Amino acid sequence: MGSRARARWAAAALGFTGLLCAVLGAVMIVAVPSLIKQQVYKNVRIDPSSLTFSVWKEIPVPFYLSIYFFNVTNPKEILQGKKPQVQERGPYVYREFRHKGNITFNDNDTVSYLEYRSFRFQPDKSSGSESDYIVMPNILVLGAAVMMEKKPMPLKLFMTVAFSTLGERAFMNRTVHEIMWGYEDPLVNVISKYFPAMFPVKGKFGLFAGLNNSDSGVFTVFTGIKNFSRIHLVDKWNGLSKVNFWHSDQCNMINGTSGQMWAPFMTPESSLEFYSPEACRSMKLIYQETSTFQGIPTYRFKAPSTLFASGSVYPPNEGFCPCLKSGIQNVSTCRFNAPLFLSHPHFYNADDTLAKAVLGLHPNEAEHSLFLDVHPVTGIPMNCSVKLQLSLYIKAVQGIGQTGKIEPVVLPLLWFEERGAMEGETLHNFYIQLVLMPKVLRYAQYVLLALGCVLLFIPIVYQIRSQGPEDAESQPGPNAQPDLPPSPFTPLLQESLSGQPASPKA
């Protein structure tokens, strides 16, 4: 009896444990999604107490700026009216360092800050050195020529004499370092002295001279602490709610985030919108596919084919025009009225005539499209590659002899890729805290529920098996005879019934 009692107690204990596991699993199924959502909301907002604040403040992801120059191989022929031919040179890779300063939390649930940037050349990642020479259009001469096309003839003749006196030509041969970070040119001082409104630049002139050891302007973004619905959205840039570079209110709007984090819990219907000070406009990327990065689920977003489309192809872009062709954006209004154009590299996704007008261009999606891989639960980018091209519109201008017989063409100067991917300890911590732990909790709830059901089944089976044999022994069968008291005739009856003769002694 002792062993049977112990078995009953064990079965009861297992059943009680199973009930607890089942109840806990059911509660977790209901509560865990809400708990995960609350933790994500708490940790992705811009708050010194959140897990991602240090990542937002001092971006630990290594960013690299890769520059590809278009070396002009036939400058003399171009001046004679021939088609330009270019040769892509690079990449020349720079490590980009970013950190935020002057962080000020405001009363309206926003935070203002400056993001500082600096660049350091990486010889081991580059295909060449900063001392390499590149032949490219002289932006100061050819850009100024187009800008003065409609000016009075005496003024244009004066510029021709000034260019000749200063030894300026239509094309120049300078080093990568000079083109990037600036070179001394007396023409800069002449233009800034006599035409300050046309070109308000003094000292060295370089395509990226204003970016190194600089900031991208004062961003004011919503923190999400009080109102989560607007988290990371830009409230103002340099104190402005909208810019005035373009010709429509829609194009001048500052939409989206600052391009570093987005609202969590994305769906394939979500889009990535951000404001780019370099492009002087807001951009929107669209969902392409679901993928993974280092084991972390991501959504890949890409640029739509309409990003730089002309107004005739995509009416909402009409405010960015006048447009020479579809697929290139005229950024002259935010670049001192210089005839500069922004596009995808090699005129990818642009009008075919643009790439055909320059020999040596080979646009393709694999090499020249941009993308961002974002963790949809947190809205944090895991891997990004932003690729853009800068081009100069050149042509022969009557009265300015340096332009020769140049046929009108949008000539690429360079294209760049800004790339960054989460790695190392930052990636490991992100995976543990925001991917692995939620996954363990999701699996644990179903394991507990299944284990509880199994443990609850054990006492039921024990009860059935323990009661079965006792009932079989205590219940009489259908042919069972009732017990009779012993009688002196019983043996005789038994022997007679068995067919044997009775003993004579009986």
Side-chain angles (χ1 to χ4, degrees):
M1 295 295 293
S3 61
R4 183 170 294 180
R6 285 194 296 272
R8 275 200 296 268
W9 277 109
L14 289 174
F16 182 72
T17 303
L19 180 62
L20 288 180
C21 290
V23 171
L24 181 58
V27 170
M28 288 180 67
I29 290 176
V30 175
V32 164
S34 176
L35 179 63
I36 292 176
K37 184 173 291 189
Q38 289 178 2
Q39 287 300 310
V40 170
Y41 283 151
K42 178 182 178 181
N43 288 308
V44 300
R45 63 189 185 183
I46 306 175
D47 186 345
S49 65
S50 70
L51 288 176
T52 59
F53 181 77
S54 60
V55 176
W56 173 82
K57 181 181 178 182
E58 302 281 347
I59 299 177
V61 176
F63 277 90
Y64 293 94
L65 177 68
S66 300
I67 308 293
Y68 298 81
F69 290 97
F70 291 102
N71 182 62
V72 179
T73 60
N74 62 338
K76 294 181 179 179
E77 288 79 3
I78 295 174
L79 289 171
Q80 296 171 3
K82 301 292 181 63
K83 182 182 291 189
Q85 183 167 359
V86 297
Q87 176 190 25
E88 185 177 284
R89 298 273 298 276
Y92 297 90
V93 182
Y94 296 83
R95 172 71 190 274
E96 182 177 354
F97 298 90
R98 300 182 182 184
H99 71 277
K100 293 180 176 65
N102 296 344
I103 300 174
T104 305
F105 286 88
N106 306 310
D107 295 332
N108 61 342
D109 198 31
T110 63
V111 60
S112 301
Y113 62 89
L114 285 169
E115 183 169 74
Y116 298 96
R117 297 171 298 182
S118 61
F119 300 88
R120 187 180 301 161
F121 185 64
Q122 306 290 300
D124 58 319
K125 296 182 180 293
S126 303
S127 297
S129 70
E130 285 191 302
S131 60
D132 292 348
Y133 278 87
I134 306 291
V135 177
M136 65 187 309
N138 189 333
I139 300 174
L140 295 175
V141 172
L142 296 181
V146 173
M147 294 167 65
M148 300 184 66
E149 183 178 14
K150 297 182 179 180
K151 299 292 183 181
M153 182 59 70
L155 183 58
K156 290 190 284 187
L157 293 174
F158 168 78
M159 289 302 299
T160 298
V161 174
F163 289 154
S164 299
T165 303
L166 297 172
E168 298 288 346
R169 298 181 179 181
F171 291 88
M172 62 182 185
N173 186 19
R174 294 193 176 273
T175 66
V176 169
H177 186 274
E178 290 175 327
I179 297 170
M180 288 287 296
W181 311 117
Y183 54 89
E184 296 286 350
D185 194 318
L187 181 59
V188 174
N189 298 326
V190 171
I191 295 178
S192 61
K193 181 178 180 179
Y194 294 101
F195 309 100
M198 177 187 296
F199 194 70
V201 174
K202 295 181 180 180
K204 291 185 177 182
F205 173 77
L207 293 177
F208 287 78
L211 292 182
N212 200 17
N213 298 316
S214 65
D215 62 77
S216 54
V218 180
F219 272 98
T220 301
V221 302
F222 288 94
T223 64
I225 297 175
K226 298 178 182 178
N227 182 6
F228 197 83
S229 64
R230 305 197 69 185
I231 186 170
H232 299 307
L233 294 180
V234 176
D235 180 34
K236 292 181 180 180
W237 175 73
N238 281 342
L240 302 173
S241 299
K242 64 178 183 178
V243 295
N244 59 357
F245 300 124
W246 314 112
H247 308 297
S248 71
D249 290 338
Q250 181 177 358
C251 293
N252 279 320
M253 292 176 64
I254 298 177
N255 297 324
T257 73
S258 62
Q260 295 177 355
M261 294 178 69
W262 284 267
F265 303 108
M266 295 178 170
T267 67
E269 286 71 38
S270 302
S271 60
L272 295 188
E273 197 163 13
F274 60 95
Y275 177 74
S276 170
E278 289 74 27
C280 309
R281 57 165 289 188
S282 298
M283 297 185 179
K284 180 185 287 188
L285 307 185
I286 58 174
Y287 171 84
Q288 180 182 13
E289 62 183 359
T290 299
S291 57
T292 59
F293 175 77
Q294 301 294 332
I296 298 174
T298 59
Y299 284 171
R300 171 160 290 192
F301 293 85
K302 68 171 185 177
S305 59
T306 57
L307 182 62
F308 298 121
S310 64
S312 59
V313 174
Y314 185 62
N317 282 356
E318 186 63 40
F320 294 124
C321 292
C323 306
L324 289 178
K325 297 284 184 180
S326 185
I328 57 175
Q329 181 185 325
N330 188 339
V331 292
S332 60
T333 53
C334 71
R335 289 293 179 265
F336 316 122
N337 289 318
L340 294 170
F341 289 81
L342 201 63
S343 69
H344 295 294
H346 288 243
F347 296 123
Y348 167 71
N349 259 347
D351 192 297
D352 291 341
T353 58
L354 291 167
K356 292 178 180 179
V358 180
L359 300 176
L361 299 182
H362 309 284
N364 68 83
E365 181 177 4
E367 296 182 14
H368 303 136
S369 63
L370 64 87
F371 68 85
L372 266 75
D373 292 336
V374 181
H375 182 230
V377 176
T378 60
I380 298 176
M382 297 288 104
N383 182 30
C384 65
S385 174
V386 178
K387 303 172 184 177
L388 295 172
Q389 176 178 291
L390 187 66
S391 304
L392 179 70
Y393 177 62
I394 62 175
K395 61 183 296 187
V397 176
Q398 186 179 7
I400 299 182
Q402 284 76 10
T403 60
K405 299 179 180 178
I406 299 176
E407 288 292 321
V409 65
V410 180
L411 185 61
L413 302 175
L414 60 85
W415 71 270
F416 62 88
E417 177 187 25
E418 201 168 19
R419 189 181 189 98
M422 191 173 288
E423 60 182 31
E425 185 179 355
T426 304
L427 178 65
H428 177 73
N429 292 337
F430 185 93
Y431 179 80
I432 294 296
Q433 296 175 2
L434 296 175
V435 177
L436 184 60
M437 290 304 297
K439 186 181 294 185
V440 169
L441 288 175
R442 281 195 295 269
Y443 285 139
Q445 62 193 16
Y446 295 109
V447 170
L448 285 173
L449 184 60
L451 180 61
C453 293
V454 171
L455 293 177
L456 278 173
F457 192 64
I458 290 176
I460 297 174
V461 172
Y462 173 80
Q463 187 69 15
I464 294 173
R465 295 191 64 181
S466 63
Q467 289 182 355
E470 293 180 0
D471 290 345
E473 293 176 4
S474 61
Q475 297 291 335
N479 298 322
Q481 299 293 330
D483 292 338
L484 297 174
S487 168
F489 302 102
T490 299
L492 179 60
L493 291 173
Q494 288 179 350
E495 290 175 359
S496 299
L497 291 172
S498 63
Q500 301 293 328
S503 172
K505 293 182 180 180

